[in-house]
């Protein structure tokens, strides 16, 4: 928006009020336009055309300000004679109150008022030369116009400043900048450059292009151009018409002061637009910063929300401890967890790190742009994300161990379930038909001998029943253990176990009932076949023992150590020791059966070829005995093979441990020895280098042992051995130690080589190197081979350096360019060598060439070949440019430019 000319003056004057009077005086005294005698050409006023232009322009300029006070002037030399309107004009354009004017009509009153106005002008640092109150009161047009021009200079032109130029030059530069893009406009002064009117039109079009169609203007029509500019400025820009187009066109050289006065009104009118443009740019810049920060905030919120949502979804999965029913399902769970560790979690770790980086970057940008700190939404702070991540880590901890424990549990469950099925099947086979037998009523029609037989048979059955009690208890114990271990098929196991137990209870009840019936009938039946009874009594437990032995011999086993297999082998040997006694028992039982057969054959007893007391026959006993004898060597072979496998595993463990327990300490010892060599001072650097290279050779020669250990480790992995109680070293420890050892010896050798290069290049003696090393080791308090910053500062002070923090910071930037906070020995000797060594310079090399050239400004190839070694002479000849001086001779070479190029001061 535009300000009026008067408002522009008020702003300018208000700013000037903040300056002290002495500052104003100093500033105005320095200006080129303040001296009245240099700026006011009295002879020019004798030109009527110029005087007319000044009268009209100055009158319009004064009225543009007096209108604000509700008055104006008609005749510039008459209306200022009493001094009243002159004082009023000064008050309007300055914004200050002058002394109270005299209201009398006498000459003395008028002179007093004019003097007050002139005194005020003088107080603003303006020198009034040959302008007195009497001349103004007398209506001297020349002096009046001069006084008004002085006021215009002081209050309208003096404060214009453009690119470090002010006043007239500043106003001219402003006009040139604004009209530069326009054709046919070339502003060089404040008179003839404005005659064609295009300059005024260009100023208006530059700031208000909608007011003038500049393309339709012609340079050969100045009257139209001038009138267009004057009319538009008066109508739309509130700039009074201070000039006449006829006066400007009809004058060979328009009045400079009139043009400057009118153009200054344009400057002040458009200053408001410039301020608006500056304000708009500032707002755009602020908005751009805000938009960028808001985008960063939205990115942070989205990334935090996505990460928190992923954590929220992942934690319940990790906290789920619901076991699976099968080994395959649990192994799939373990594989899913490993996929999570390898594929799903790493990207989220990067997102979490990026989230913290974005948050810190945003806070820094907000702080630098004086914005309040960013406060994320509730629950999305960096701390909230970190807490959620901690919850994720807590849920993840122990999940893998739980999976492995579950797999072991399922393995144990499968073994118990198979054992339960075998024992249950054996027991169910034994109980098959027992209830029908116990419920039979055969004793009712039997003879006495048959009753006695039935009674004996029942007693044998009771014996057999008691022998099977242990198996039933084992079945119940296995079922109980399966329940305690949460076996997935526990209902089926419990149902089968319950059926066995119920049937067992029923067998017990039926046995008791039949026994009572037989005992009641026993009084009637006395004939008992003792031999059958004896056979049944001895055959039944023996048969049960053989069945138990077959179960044990066929029972599968799972062992992980040699001690476990040795325990099984010991138990098996103890079992085999009982076989001779069992064989004797078998012979005794078969002897009873043979005796029965002999009695039957002798006494023709009608026994139908069967034992009435038992269903066990010699064929069953012999078949089961043969089965036991067949299973024993199979069990022997299985135990032997497992024992051999465990022995091989133990051998592999010991073989790996024996080597690892030697290699691990050896690597640590070599690391310590290399550290001592690099710190201690024994012999010259070449001796230390030779010693280290011998160390390196010895270390490299040790590599086959590392390879051998790798081979042993591969065998252990192939044998599925996961623990080794004979050593604390793992292959990973050995690999890391070996790589660190190779890196350390190579780095140490490189440091010694660099020290030798530094010593030779800088001319450092061995004693100096020893002194440097002694100083470095003394102040390396932690003996790490690197000095901390404070230790380095103490070392420099001890060497005589007197420095402040700034100097020490400069030195640290040299010795520690990466700002690690420590100083290596190589950096230390580089710094000390720069402080003490005498290095060659380009001037010294140039002087040396001049000596070889016999004090000439050039040198010949023969001279180089005579004075230098052949390879170095040819090197110089190939790179020296031909000498082009006035004293040049054919074949002359320029050694000066060559010397400069050697030190990088020009191209070689």
């Amino acid at each position: 928006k535009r300000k009026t000319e008067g408002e522009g003056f008020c702003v300018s004057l208000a700013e000037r009020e903040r300056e002290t009077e002495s500052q104003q005086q100093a500033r105005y005294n320095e200006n080129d336009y303040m001296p009245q005698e240099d700026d006011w050409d009295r002879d020019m006023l004798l030109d009527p055309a110029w005087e007319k232009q000044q009268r009209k322009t100055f009158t319009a300029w004064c009225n543009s300000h007096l209108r604000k006070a509700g008055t104006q002037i008609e005749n510039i030399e008459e209306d200022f004679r009493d001094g009243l309107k002159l004082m009023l004009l000064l008050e309007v354009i300055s914004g200050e109150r002058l002394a109270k004017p005299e209201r009398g009509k006498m000459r003395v009153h008028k002179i007093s008022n004019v003097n007050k106005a002139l005194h005020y002008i003088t107080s603003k640092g303006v020198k009034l030369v040959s302008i007195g109150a009497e001349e103004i009161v007398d209506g001297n047009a020349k002096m009046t116009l001069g006084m008004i021009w002085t006021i215009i200079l002081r209050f309208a032109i003096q404060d214009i400043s453009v690119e470090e130029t002010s006043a007239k030059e500043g106003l001219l530069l402003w006009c040139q900048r604004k009209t530069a893009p326009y054709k046919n406009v070339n502003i060089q002064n404040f008179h003839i450059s404005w005659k064609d009117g295009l300059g005024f039109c260009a100023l208006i079009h530059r700031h208000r292009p909608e007011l003038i169609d500049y393309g339709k203007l012609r340079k050969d029509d100045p009257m139209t151009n001038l009138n267009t500019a004057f009319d538009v400025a008066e109508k739309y820009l509130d700039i009074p018409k201070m000039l006449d187009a006829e006066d400007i066109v009809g004058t060979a050289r328009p009045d400079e002061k009139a043009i400057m006065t009118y153009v200054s009104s344009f400057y002040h009118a458009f200053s408001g637009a410039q301020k608006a443009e500056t304000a708009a740019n500032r707002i755009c810049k602020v908005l751009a910063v805000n938009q960028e920060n808001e985008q960063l905030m939205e990115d942070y919120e989205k990334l935090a929300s996505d990460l928190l949502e992923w954590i929220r979804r992942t934690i319940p999965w990790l906290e789920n401890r619901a076991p699976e029913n099968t080994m395959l399902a649990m192994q799939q769970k373990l594989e899913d967890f490993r996929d999570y560790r390898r594929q799903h979690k790493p990207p989220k770790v990067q997102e979490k790190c990026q989230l913290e980086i974005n948050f810190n970057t945003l806070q820094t940008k907000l702080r630098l742009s004086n914005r309040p700190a960013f406060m994320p939404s509730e629950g999305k702070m960096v701390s909230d994300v970190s807490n959620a991540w901690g919850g994720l880590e807590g849920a993840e901890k122990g999940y893998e161990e739980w999976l492995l424990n579950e797999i072991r549990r399922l393995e144990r469950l499968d073994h118990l379930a198979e054992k339960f099925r075998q024992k249950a099947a054996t027991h169910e086979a034994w109980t098959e038909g027992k209830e029908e037998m116990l419920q039979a009523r055969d004793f009712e029609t039997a003879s006495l001998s048959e009753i006695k037989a039935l009674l004996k048979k029942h007693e044998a059955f009771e014996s057999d029943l008691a022998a099977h009690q242990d198996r039933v208890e084992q079945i119940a114990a296995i079922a109980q253990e399966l329940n305690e271990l949460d076996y997935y098929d526990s209902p089926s196991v419990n149902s089968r176990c319950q059926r066995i137990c119920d049937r067992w209870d029923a067998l017990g009840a039926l046995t008791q009932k039949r026994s009572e019936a037989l005992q009641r009938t026993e009084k009637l039946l006395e004939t008992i076949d003792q031999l059958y009874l004896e056979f049944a009594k001895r055959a039944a437990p023996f048969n049960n023992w053989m069945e138990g032995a077959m179960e044990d011999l066929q029972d599968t086993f799972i062992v992980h150590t040699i001690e476990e297999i040795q325990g099984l082998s010991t138990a098996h040997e103890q079992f085999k020791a009982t076989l001779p006694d069992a064989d004797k028992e078998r012979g005794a039982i078969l002897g009873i059966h043979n005796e029965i057969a002999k009695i039957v054959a002798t006494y023709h007893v009608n026994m139908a070829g069967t034992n009435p007391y038992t269903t066990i026959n010699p064929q069953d006993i012999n078949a089961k005995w043969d089965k036991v004898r067949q299973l024993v060597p199979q069990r022997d072979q299985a135990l032997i093979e497992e024992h051999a496998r465990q022995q091989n595993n133990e051998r592999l463990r010991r073989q790996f441990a024996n080597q690892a327990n030697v290699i691990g300490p050896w690597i640590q010892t070599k690391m310590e020895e290399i550290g001592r060599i690099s710190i201690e001072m024994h012999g010259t650097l070449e001796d230390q280098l030779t010693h280290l290279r011998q160390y390196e050779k010895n270390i490299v020669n040790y590599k086959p042992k590392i390879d051998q250990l790798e081979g042993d480790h591969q065998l252990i992995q192939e044998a599925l051995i996961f623990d080794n109680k004979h050593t604390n070293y793992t292959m990973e420890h050995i690999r890391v130690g070996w790589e660190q050892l190779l890196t350390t010896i190579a780095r140490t050798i490189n440091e010694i080589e660099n020290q030798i290069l530094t010593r030779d290049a800088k001319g450092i003696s061995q004693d100096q190197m020893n002194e440097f090393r002694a100083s470095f080791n003394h102040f390396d308090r932690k003996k790490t081979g690197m000095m901390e910053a404070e230790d380095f500062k103490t070392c420099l002070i001890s060497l005589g350096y007197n420095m402040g923090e700034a100097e020490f910071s400069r030195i640290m930037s040299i010795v520690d360019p990466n700002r690690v906070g420590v100083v290596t020995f190589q950096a230390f000797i580089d710094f000390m060598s720069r402080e003490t060594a005498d290095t060659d310079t380009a001037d010294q090399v140039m002087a040396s060439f001049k000596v070889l050239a016999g004090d000439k400004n050039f040198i010949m190839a023969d001279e180089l070949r005579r004075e230098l070694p052949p390879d170095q002479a040819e090197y110089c000849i190939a790179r020296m440019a031909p000498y082009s001086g006035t004293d040049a001779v054919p074949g002359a070479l320029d050694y000066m430019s060559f010397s400069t190029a050697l030190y990088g001061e020009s191209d070689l």
Side-chain angles (χ1 to χ4, degrees):
K1 296 183 179 180
R2 304 192 308 276
K3 293 181 178 289
T4 63
E5 182 177 336
E7 290 170 339
F9 280 125
C10 292
V11 172
S12 176
L13 294 173
E15 292 175 351
R16 288 198 299 271
E17 287 176 1
R18 292 193 291 267
E19 299 178 337
T20 64
E21 184 174 352
S22 60
Q23 290 172 327
Q24 293 173 346
Q25 184 67 40
R27 180 161 58 87
Y28 294 131
N29 286 344
E30 295 171 358
N31 193 276
D32 295 339
Y33 292 95
M34 294 313 299
Q36 184 70 15
E37 60 271 21
D38 295 338
D39 191 69
W40 187 251
D41 190 347
R42 295 172 181 79
D43 295 336
M44 292 294 182
L45 291 178
L46 298 177
D47 187 338
W50 283 28
E51 183 177 348
K52 178 183 177 182
Q53 291 178 17
Q54 288 187 7
R55 282 177 181 274
K56 180 175 180 61
T57 301
F58 292 177
T59 300
W61 184 85
C62 292
N63 284 334
S64 69
H65 296 289
L66 288 174
R67 281 200 305 269
K68 301 170 186 176
T71 185
Q72 62 180 10
I73 61 174
E74 298 294 337
N75 189 306
I76 194 166
E77 66 267 21
E78 291 295 329
D79 292 347
F80 284 141
R81 290 179 63 184
D82 61 0
L84 294 176
K85 289 188 177 181
L86 179 60
M87 294 179 68
L88 181 60
L89 175 65
L90 292 173
E91 288 183 348
V92 171
I93 64 177
S94 68
E96 299 179 6
R97 296 290 296 177
L98 274 66
K100 185 177 182 181
E102 301 288 344
R103 293 297 179 180
K105 300 296 184 179
M106 300 177 63
R107 178 181 175 82
V108 66
H109 296 142
K110 296 179 181 180
I111 292 174
S112 176
N113 289 338
V114 174
N115 274 329
K116 290 178 182 178
L118 296 178
H119 176 71
Y120 176 78
I121 294 172
T122 305
S123 69
K124 294 302 179 181
V126 179
K127 293 172 62 177
L128 297 174
V129 180
S130 301
I131 298 178
E134 292 81 359
E135 295 169 313
I136 303 302
V137 173
D138 292 339
N140 187 321
K142 176 176 61 177
M143 295 302 170
T144 301
L145 291 175
M147 177 190 67
I148 296 302
W149 172 243
T150 301
I151 293 173
I152 292 172
L153 275 177
R154 171 61 183 83
F155 293 101
I157 299 176
Q158 191 63 44
D159 290 334
I160 295 175
S161 177
V162 178
E163 297 185 9
E164 300 183 359
T165 62
S166 59
K168 179 180 178 181
E169 282 78 4
L171 183 60
L172 181 61
L173 181 60
W174 179 78
C175 294
Q176 291 171 343
R177 293 285 187 269
K178 296 299 181 180
T179 61
Y182 294 88
K183 65 179 180 179
N184 297 327
V185 178
N186 184 18
I187 304 301
Q188 299 296 328
N189 50 53
F190 286 107
H191 36 79
I192 61 176
S193 294
W194 303 85
K195 284 192 66 175
D196 57 9
L198 291 177
F200 295 109
C201 292
L203 285 178
I204 295 173
H205 185 269
R206 180 65 181 269
H207 295 88
R208 297 290 300 278
E210 76 279 5
L211 299 180
I212 293 179
D213 188 355
Y214 188 83
K216 294 182 179 182
L217 301 178
R218 301 196 315 273
K219 186 174 180 65
D220 57 357
D221 189 7
M223 289 294 294
T224 300
N225 299 339
L226 289 169
N227 285 324
T228 299
F230 296 162
D231 294 341
V232 169
E234 185 175 27
K235 182 177 181 180
Y236 296 102
L237 303 179
D238 199 25
I239 298 175
K241 191 174 182 180
M242 301 181 184
L243 300 170
D244 286 330
E246 296 80 0
D247 296 338
I248 295 177
V249 174
T251 305
R253 186 174 185 271
D255 181 59
E256 184 180 49
K257 300 176 181 60
I259 298 295
M260 285 179 62
T261 302
Y262 189 52
V263 172
S264 70
S265 298
F266 281 88
Y267 173 83
H268 290 292
F270 293 134
S271 63
Q274 292 177 343
K275 293 179 181 177
E277 181 179 356
T278 301
N281 291 336
R282 181 178 291 109
I283 290 172
C284 290
K285 182 179 179 181
V286 170
L287 291 178
V289 172
N290 278 355
Q291 289 172 339
E292 182 181 1
N293 291 340
E294 288 174 0
Q295 185 61 45
L296 288 175
M297 294 176 188
E298 292 177 3
D299 294 344
Y300 173 86
E301 291 281 345
K302 184 178 184 307
L303 187 57
S305 300
D306 294 344
L307 189 57
L308 288 171
E309 175 62 21
W310 179 81
I311 293 173
R312 184 190 66 77
R313 286 186 283 103
T314 305
I315 286 179
W317 176 69
L318 293 173
E319 290 178 343
N320 182 14
R321 297 295 193 271
E324 297 294 340
N325 295 332
T326 63
M327 180 77 71
L328 184 62
M330 286 305 299
Q331 288 175 342
Q332 183 60 44
K333 268 196 171 184
L334 180 61
E335 187 61 28
D336 293 343
F337 177 71
R338 288 171 177 167
D339 288 342
Y340 157 78
R341 279 270 185 84
R342 292 191 298 262
Q343 300 176 10
H344 302 293
K345 185 179 178 183
K348 299 303 177 182
V349 174
Q350 295 178 359
E351 289 182 11
K352 177 176 176 291
C353 178
Q354 188 62 43
L355 182 74
E356 296 174 355
I357 292 173
N358 291 350
F359 181 80
N360 294 333
T361 301
L362 175 59
Q363 298 293 39
T364 301
K365 289 186 176 182
L366 292 173
R367 184 172 64 255
L368 294 177
S369 58
N370 294 323
R371 266 54 167 198
F374 169 57
M375 183 62 64
S377 303
E378 183 177 359
K380 296 181 182 178
M381 296 286 292
V382 173
S383 58
D384 296 327
V385 176
S386 297
N387 292 336
W389 191 266
L392 177 71
E393 296 284 355
E396 181 182 329
K397 184 178 181 181
Y399 185 66
E400 184 176 15
E401 182 179 354
W402 173 79
L403 290 174
L404 295 175
N405 289 336
E406 279 296 303
I407 290 174
R408 297 189 187 99
R409 184 182 69 83
L410 289 176
E411 186 180 33
R412 171 67 175 164
L413 284 174
D414 289 345
H415 173 67
L416 288 175
E418 181 61 27
K419 191 171 184 179
F420 173 83
R421 285 190 290 270
Q422 289 181 2
K423 288 186 176 293
T426 301
H427 178 75
E428 288 169 347
W430 177 82
T431 58
E432 188 67 30
K434 295 297 188 293
E435 292 182 0
E436 291 79 3
M437 181 196 71
L438 293 173
Q439 293 174 348
R441 310 295 294 177
D442 52 349
F443 59 86
E444 294 179 353
T445 59
S447 62
L448 179 60
S449 59
E450 291 173 341
I451 290 299
K452 288 184 177 292
L454 288 175
L455 186 58
K456 297 297 182 181
K457 179 180 179 181
H458 188 71
E459 289 176 357
F461 173 77
E462 287 179 334
S463 225
D464 195 12
L465 186 68
H468 280 77
Q469 178 67 35
D470 183 58
R471 179 180 290 111
V472 174
E473 291 177 354
Q474 289 179 5
I475 292 172
I478 293 173
Q480 179 65 27
E481 188 172 359
L482 288 172
N483 278 278
E484 292 174 353
L485 294 177
D486 294 332
Y487 182 52
Y488 77 97
D489 200 18
S490 292
S492 175
V493 171
N494 292 337
S495 176
R496 190 171 184 179
C497 180
Q498 187 64 43
R499 288 197 302 271
I500 291 173
C501 292
D502 293 344
R503 196 170 185 179
W504 182 257
D505 293 339
L507 286 176
L510 291 173
T511 301
Q512 181 65 26
K513 184 177 179 181
R514 184 174 179 81
S515 177
E516 292 174 354
L518 290 174
Q519 288 176 2
R520 288 192 301 269
T521 311
E522 186 181 12
K523 296 177 181 180
L524 302 173
L525 304 174
E526 299 176 351
T527 304
I528 300 172
D529 191 343
Q530 292 296 329
L531 292 177
Y532 273 134
L533 181 60
E534 182 68 19
F535 177 88
K537 286 183 178 180
R538 298 182 69 173
F542 184 71
N543 182 68
N544 185 63
W545 175 84
M546 286 191 297
E547 290 179 350
M550 287 189 292
E551 290 179 7
D552 292 339
L553 291 173
Q554 296 180 85
D555 188 18
T556 59
F557 52 83
I558 298 175
V559 294
H560 299 285
T561 64
I562 195 169
E563 289 79 5
E564 294 177 357
I565 192 63
Q566 287 174 348
L568 290 177
S569 299
T570 301
H572 184 63
E573 292 298 325
Q574 292 174 352
F575 167 76
K576 289 196 296 182
T578 64
L579 290 179
D581 294 336
D583 192 31
K584 290 179 181 179
E585 178 66 13
R586 183 182 67 87
I589 294 172
L590 294 178
I592 294 172
H593 182 270
N594 293 334
E595 187 175 353
I596 292 173
K598 182 179 179 180
I599 294 173
V600 169
T602 303
Y603 297 100
H604 305 286
V605 177
N606 185 16
M607 300 300 297
T610 61
N611 190 329
Y613 301 108
T614 181
T615 59
I616 301 173
N617 54 56
Q619 292 77 17
D620 293 336
I621 293 176
N622 288 329
K624 291 180 181 179
W625 177 256
D626 293 338
K627 182 66 175 177
V628 170
R629 295 295 298 270
Q630 181 183 357
L631 290 174
V632 167
Q634 295 178 4
R635 185 73 167 186
D636 288 337
Q637 184 62 30
L639 290 174
I640 290 171
E641 291 176 356
E642 183 62 27
H643 189 273
R645 192 175 73 86
Q646 292 300 328
Q647 281 184 327
N648 184 60
N649 290 351
E650 183 67 14
R651 180 186 62 79
L652 290 177
R653 288 190 184 96
R654 292 182 181 276
Q655 181 175 322
F656 178 84
N658 292 338
Q659 295 186 74
N661 289 336
V662 173
I663 293 175
W666 182 86
I667 291 175
Q668 182 63 32
T669 301
K670 293 302 178 183
M671 290 285 288
E672 294 173 357
E673 291 175 356
I674 293 170
R676 287 196 299 271
I677 292 174
S678 63
I679 295 176
E680 296 174 356
M681 298 178 296
H682 294 303
T684 64
L685 292 177
E686 286 76 4
D687 294 339
Q688 296 180 28
L689 182 61
T690 301
H691 195 186
L692 285 171
R693 284 176 174 164
Q694 184 60 40
Y695 256 80
E696 183 181 33
K697 182 178 179 181
N698 294 339
I699 290 171
V700 172
N701 291 338
Y702 205 77
K703 181 65 166 58
K705 295 186 178 181
I706 302 296
D707 296 337
Q708 182 180 357
L709 189 64
E710 285 281 6
D712 293 343
H713 178 66
Q714 182 177 354
L715 293 177
I716 285 179
Q717 288 184 323
E718 293 173 353
L720 301 178
I721 300 172
F722 302 105
D723 58 344
N724 194 339
K725 64 182 179 180
H726 303 296
T727 181
N728 293 325
Y729 292 99
T730 65
M731 195 63 226
E732 185 64 24
H733 294 155
I734 299 298
R735 291 194 193 103
V736 172
W738 176 253
E739 292 170 359
Q740 289 179 347
L741 179 62
L742 294 177
T743 302
T744 301
I745 185 64
R747 183 173 59 247
T748 306
I749 289 174
N750 180 255
E751 289 176 355
I752 297 299
E753 290 174 341
N754 288 338
Q755 292 173 24
I756 293 174
L757 290 175
T758 302
R759 181 199 65 189
D760 295 342
K762 301 299 179 66
I764 303 173
S765 66
Q766 184 62 42
D767 292 337
Q768 287 178 309
M769 289 296 293
N770 292 340
E771 290 178 3
F772 291 159
R773 171 57 77 179
S775 299
F776 186 88
N777 290 345
H778 177 74
F779 288 97
D780 180 13
R781 294 183 297 106
K782 295 184 179 180
K783 303 305 178 186
T784 61
M786 293 181 288
M787 276 195 293
E788 296 184 354
E790 288 300 322
D791 296 334
F792 179 58
K793 185 175 183 180
T794 305
C795 178
L796 292 180
I797 293 173
S798 70
L799 294 174
Y801 285 83
N802 186 11
M803 70 195 82
E805 289 299 327
E807 176 63 14
F808 180 67
S809 298
R810 183 190 68 80
I811 294 175
M812 280 300 295
S813 68
I814 296 173
V815 300
D816 183 20
N818 295 326
R819 301 185 181 276
V820 180
V822 295
V823 180
T824 64
F825 180 66
Q826 183 61 41
F828 177 73
I829 62 174
D830 286 344
F831 172 76
M832 294 304 298
S833 64
R834 282 196 296 272
E835 296 294 317
T836 59
D838 180 18
T839 58
D840 295 329
T841 65
D843 291 339
Q844 291 173 336
V845 174
M846 196 180 302
S848 299
F849 273 117
K850 193 167 187 177
V851 171
L852 297 182
D855 207 28
K856 300 192 297 293
N857 291 330
F858 58 85
I859 192 168
M860 305 301 292
D862 293 339
E863 293 174 333
L864 289 171
R865 292 189 178 100
R866 183 176 64 248
E867 300 295 341
L868 297 178
D871 56 338
Q872 294 181 351
E874 295 303 326
Y875 176 86
C876 295
I877 292 170
R879 287 162 176 77
M880 282 187 182
Y883 179 68
S884 58
T886 56
D887 54 344
V889 299
L893 300 176
D894 186 357
Y895 63 79
M896 295 182 181
S897 60
F898 176 76
S899 301
T900 305
L902 283 177
Y903 286 85
E905 300 177 14
S906 64
D907 293 335
L908 182 59

